[in-house]
Amino acid sequence: MATSSSPVSGVAERYALSLFELAREEGSIDTVESELNQFQALIDENADFRRLVESPAFTSAEQLAAMSAIVQSVGASPLTANFLKVIATNRRLFVLPGIVRSFRTKAAEHRGEVDASVISAHALGDTQRRELAEALGQYAGKTVTMHESVDPSILGGLIVKIGSRQVDTSLRTKLNSLKLALKEVG
């Protein structure tokens, strides 16, 4: 996957790497990943929590007090709880979604997994899904976790993204290429 060079993504990457290293030393990568996923779901689903994370209007003390109460109420592990309190104290809660994404990527790499985004014109059947997962696994040399979506506008075929690579075999792309070729000829 291509990484952004923005300062925010760099901060998120550094925090995620630090947390990952600590979790690996503790043997708690899966626990921390699960808890981070819960906090990401909270950001996605709860407007008040999202405002706490994103708004620069809250002071460090307010963010720390709120985060302390939240990690206690959800029963987060000491590592996750302390980490979230540190980023609240440092006024870095706004990078939490980037930290979660980066940690997920590092955890998947650690397990020998890779994510693949698959866009198809119609929902894949079980046999198609299994065969595609096997083919992508052989291509990547890793266990592939597929994230499927349906986009009827591609007309047929697939668009597959693994990391920074994309393979577009959609009928829409082929027709657009043919259309461009015909314009150049005519």
Side-chain angles (χ1 to χ4, degrees), residues 25-45:
E25 288 173 14
E26 247 185 36
S28 62
I29 293 172
D30 293 340
T31 300
V32 172
E33 182 179 20
S34 174
E35 291 172 345
L36 288 177
N37 287 337
Q38 289 174 339
F39 279 96
Q40 183 61 53
L42 193 57
I43 292 169
D44 295 340
E45 298 165 4

Side-chain angles (χ1 to χ4, degrees), residues 90-104:
N90 293 341
R91 296 191 43 84
R92 296 291 187 261
L93 280 180
F94 67 95
V95 297
L96 185 56
I99 292 168
V100 173
R101 276 190 306 275
S102 184
F103 190 93
R104 283 178 185 156

Side-chain angles (χ1 to χ4, degrees), residues 1-109:
M1 183 181 300
T3 56
S4 173
S5 60
S6 79
V8 171
S9 67
V11 170
E13 180 73 22
R14 286 189 300 275
Y15 273 105
L17 179 59
S18 296
L19 179 59
F20 180 79
E21 293 297 329
L22 291 170
R24 185 170 58 189
E25 288 173 14
E26 247 185 36
S28 62
I29 293 172
D30 293 340
T31 300
V32 172
E33 182 179 20
S34 174
E35 291 172 345
L36 288 177
N37 287 337
Q38 289 174 339
F39 279 96
Q40 183 61 53
L42 193 57
I43 292 169
D44 295 340
E45 298 165 4
N46 186 303
D48 291 332
F49 186 69
R50 185 171 42 255
R51 194 168 27 263
L52 173 73
V53 168
E54 294 174 351
S55 176
F58 294 102
T59 66
S60 173
E62 291 169 331
Q63 287 183 327
L64 177 59
M67 191 55 74
S68 296
I70 292 167
V71 296
Q72 183 177 0
S73 71
V74 300
S77 68
L79 178 58
T80 304
N82 289 337
F83 177 79
L84 291 172
K85 290 176 192 177
V86 166
I87 64 171
T89 301
N90 293 341
R91 296 191 43 84
R92 296 291 187 261
L93 280 180
F94 67 95
V95 297
L96 185 56
I99 292 168
V100 173
R101 276 190 306 275
S102 184
F103 190 93
R104 283 178 185 156
T105 300
K106 289 175 187 342
E109 288 171 0

